[in-house]
Amino acid sequence: MSDSSRDTAEGAGWGAAEAGDYRRLMPDHVEKLSWLDPRMLWAARNGVLASWFGDPTGRTRGRWVAQRAAAGAPADKVIRREDGDRFSFMVIGDTGEGDASQYAVVPGFLKISQGTDFAVIASDVIYPVGSTDDYGTKFFRPYQDYRAPIYAIPGNHDWYEDLGAFMRVFCDDTPPLAPEPAPRPLGRAWWRSLLWHRPRPADEQRLAAARTLRSAPEQRAVQPGPYWAIDAGPVRIIGIDTGLLGTIDAEQGAWLREVSQGPRPKILVTGSPLYVDGERHPCAIEGGGTVDDIVRDPAHHYVAAIGGDIHNYQRYPVDVDGRTVQYVVSGGGGAFMHATHTIPRVSVGGVTERDFRCYPLRGDSLSFYSRLYGHRLRLRRFFTLTEAEATAVVAERLGIEPTRAPGAPVRLTRRVRLVASLLGAGRRPERRSRFRLPVRKIYTQLFSPGSATYSPPFFKSFLRLDVTPEAVRLRCFAATGNRAQEVAPPLEDEVVIPLI
């Protein structure tokens, strides 16, 4: 096993590392995505419109589910696999940018996934708006050599074209929904309909050619809908669809309560993590209650809840009435890296810094962003922090020991401390300003980089889960874009979750 980022800076991907071979897997032309591009923001406007004029995803989802039921999908939405009591599966989240940050994950993913029975994509299969024409380079091509089924739950970006492409690819080529009647003029629904981004006509020949890349019988996977359960070995894996705004409708909520019954151990996969960035986000259910209420209910026997949407790895082992539920963020599968250095000192749900894990490490995240914005703002000499400086200043601000020993003593200058503040580095709770939250929101939304603007180390990640009747072994592996981490993907975190 190679060094991880917790062992050495080289294990994190810093230094004069040899570039990986992932570029050989990429198409000749790669669309550059930038979330600072007004055209991109306009195309992805449906989330904003849903928050202003009402969210239609619950109704649209209900129509998709009804259409699948009419086509013969199982009413309980359970996929019953024939895996034995011992099996393995992969989880990879927020994959589909189709550029270097996605393809850099593929060599390590293929190596670590050997012998697994299936994979699950947790949120945002396709950026920027879930278009049918993007599935070739952002789903079928990168995973063509994964020789097992891939299931998926949609993220908000998959909903930006009303989920039509997702339903075609993952749900047995479901035909488009019939148009709805026009809303009453000048009402909220009318304004929403007027401004709504609608799907472009698909290139059917392009999609047919893309499908051939994953057409082997052992790769075939058919889902009953955008939310589902998988019975595999001793566990039930439940995937929920949190739509555009990170909530679920009443119909899906009733199904989730029903499918969560019984003594079988359960793992939730969701497009919106329930614990993230040092906070609890329980995920509201239309009509009352939350998803986390269902997860925490001891009668339901959940052992883990894994969420995408946030593009890094985090783990919170939360004590729930004497049992531990592992709340995991796994969104590092291919989009730009969300900062971890903005996470304040963790104290949530009984979880403290001693128990919390994240990847990239906060110091690596801060150093990464300092280099990115030193380059972007043409202020390299001022902004750029070495990984040792970033590690040390994060430890000082949080009042913790450095996760990775910095080696030689590091001098923390006024410049280093100022850059850490400007880039939103977290602090201890007692030192947080009352202006902290708005500043952090501005930082994470405005300063999120388009992945085309940076180079390795990318700090991407994915999960492998090995299931036995006694336990689930969950491991997080890293992908940096460097050859050393392609050959031997570093193990960044591991936890064994008892089932008995």
Side-chain angles (χ1 to χ4, degrees):
M1 187 70 66
S2 62
D3 282 352
S4 75
S5 67
R6 292 178 170 268
D7 300 316
T8 63
E10 292 74 20
W14 297 116
E18 180 184 357
D21 292 335
Y22 65 89
R23 289 193 178 276
R24 295 190 296 106
L25 307 174
M26 296 174 63
D28 294 334
H29 173 73
V30 176
E31 176 189 10
K32 292 184 178 180
L33 292 182
S34 172
W35 296 106
L36 300 179
D37 184 342
R39 294 171 300 176
M40 194 73 67
L41 295 174
W42 177 244
R45 64 189 178 271
N46 285 0
V48 175
L49 295 176
S51 66
W52 288 354
F53 300 113
D55 184 1
T57 55
R59 184 178 67 252
T60 305
R61 184 188 296 117
R63 296 177 69 209
W64 283 122
V65 169
Q67 185 163 296
R68 288 291 291 131
D76 60 4
K77 303 171 184 62
V78 176
I79 302 164
R80 292 173 172 84
R81 293 182 51 85
E82 297 181 356
D83 304 299
D85 285 344
R86 299 174 184 272
F87 74 97
S88 302
F89 68 103
M90 305 294 290
V91 175
I92 184 168
D94 299 85
T95 53
E97 280 202 356
D99 52 19
S101 65
Q102 177 175 14
Y103 280 86
V105 179
V106 173
F109 175 85
L110 293 176
K111 183 178 289 289
I112 296 300
S113 67
Q114 291 179 16
T116 57
D117 297 275
F118 60 91
V120 175
I121 296 180
S123 183
D124 290 342
V125 182
I126 301 295
Y127 293 100
V129 294
S131 296
T132 304
D133 289 351
D134 287 336
Y135 267 85
T137 57
K138 300 178 182 181
F139 174 70
F140 290 107
R141 182 185 181 111
Y143 309 120
Q144 61 184 310
D145 292 327
Y146 180 65
R147 309 306 297 178
I150 298 178
Y151 305 98
I153 55 166
N156 56 312
H157 288 268
D158 300 304
W159 270 100
Y160 287 159
E161 291 197 349
D162 295 331
L163 209 64
F166 181 98
M167 295 297 294
R168 289 196 65 180
V169 171
F170 292 102
C171 300
D172 208 21
D173 213 14
T174 303
L177 294 173
E180 287 193 291
R184 179 174 57 85
L186 301 182
R188 295 175 73 205
W190 183 85
W191 285 108
R192 183 183 65 221
S193 178
L194 180 68
L195 298 170
W196 200 251
H197 171 82
R198 303 191 186 283
R200 298 170 295 189
D203 184 333
E204 297 298 334
Q205 288 185 335
R206 185 174 175 178
L207 177 60
R211 287 182 188 273
T212 64
L213 298 176
R214 280 190 53 82
S215 58
E218 66 270 20
Q219 294 175 311
R220 180 169 170 76
V222 176
Q223 298 179 191
Y227 57 91
W228 41 259
I230 297 174
D231 282 350
V235 302
R236 170 169 283 183
I237 304 158
I238 298 173
I240 60 171
D241 168 18
T242 56
L244 282 171
L245 301 181
T247 61
I248 68 174
D249 60 277
E251 180 183 352
Q252 184 179 182
W255 169 85
L256 179 60
R257 291 184 175 98
E258 178 66 27
V259 82
S260 297
Q261 299 293 324
R264 192 172 196 161
K266 298 172 186 71
I267 298 170
L268 181 74
V269 183
T270 169
S272 299
L274 303 181
Y275 279 78
V276 61
D277 294 346
E279 300 171 347
R280 178 175 177 250
H281 295 265
C283 187
I285 299 174
E286 181 187 25
T290 70
V291 170
D292 199 30
D293 291 340
I294 296 172
V295 170
R296 296 170 71 91
D297 188 330
H300 296 155
H301 299 275
Y302 278 91
V303 298
I306 303 171
D309 189 53
I310 302 302
H311 307 165
N312 53 45
Y313 172 79
Q314 302 173 43
R315 181 169 63 83
Y316 302 81
V318 177
D319 180 84
V320 180
D321 300 326
R323 63 192 177 91
T324 299
V325 177
Q326 299 288 342
Y327 290 87
V328 176
V329 178
S330 182
F336 68 85
M337 184 266 283
H338 274 134
T340 57
H341 66 266
T342 58
I343 302 173
R345 180 165 172 158
V346 170
S347 179
V348 60
V351 179
T352 64
E353 280 292 326
R354 182 187 66 182
D355 310 307
F356 170 69
R357 295 291 183 271
C358 70
Y359 177 80
L361 300 180
R362 291 180 176 105
D364 290 329
S365 170
L366 178 58
S367 181
F368 170 95
Y369 270 83
S370 76
R371 297 169 197 230
L372 174 68
Y373 284 95
H375 170 75
R376 177 172 287 179
L377 301 176
R378 299 184 180 180
L379 293 170
R380 286 189 179 92
R381 292 186 63 184
F382 172 73
F383 264 102
T384 300
L385 304 182
T386 67
E387 54 82 20
E389 289 172 330
T391 296
V393 74
V394 163
E396 177 186 76
R397 289 173 68 89
L398 294 178
I400 61 175
E401 290 296 317
T403 307
R404 180 176 66 235
V410 176
R411 180 169 172 258
L412 294 181
T413 64
R414 291 172 62 186
R415 179 190 71 86
V416 171
R417 293 186 173 104
L418 177 59
V419 170
S421 293
L422 290 173
L423 295 183
R427 304 201 72 164
R428 284 174 273 183
E430 66 271 18
R431 294 192 177 184
R432 276 185 250 171
S433 163
R434 63 192 177 95
F435 300 108
R436 173 78 183 148
L437 182 58
V439 168
R440 187 163 166 232
K441 287 182 70 176
I442 291 170
Y443 172 80
T444 55
Q445 292 177 10
L446 181 61
F447 279 19
S448 293
S451 58
T453 65
Y454 64 83
S455 56
F458 291 127
F459 297 112
K460 311 314 300 174
S461 58
F462 54 89
L463 307 182
R464 174 172 172 142
L465 291 86
D466 299 293
V467 181
T468 71
E470 296 77 30
V472 176
R473 182 189 184 197
L474 183 152
R475 290 177 287 171
C476 172
F477 291 91
T480 67
N482 292 330
R483 179 162 174 76
Q485 284 83 35
E486 282 186 356
V487 172
L491 177 62
E492 291 292 336
D493 188 33
E494 177 175 9
V495 63
V496 175
I497 306 169
L499 297 183
I500 297 177

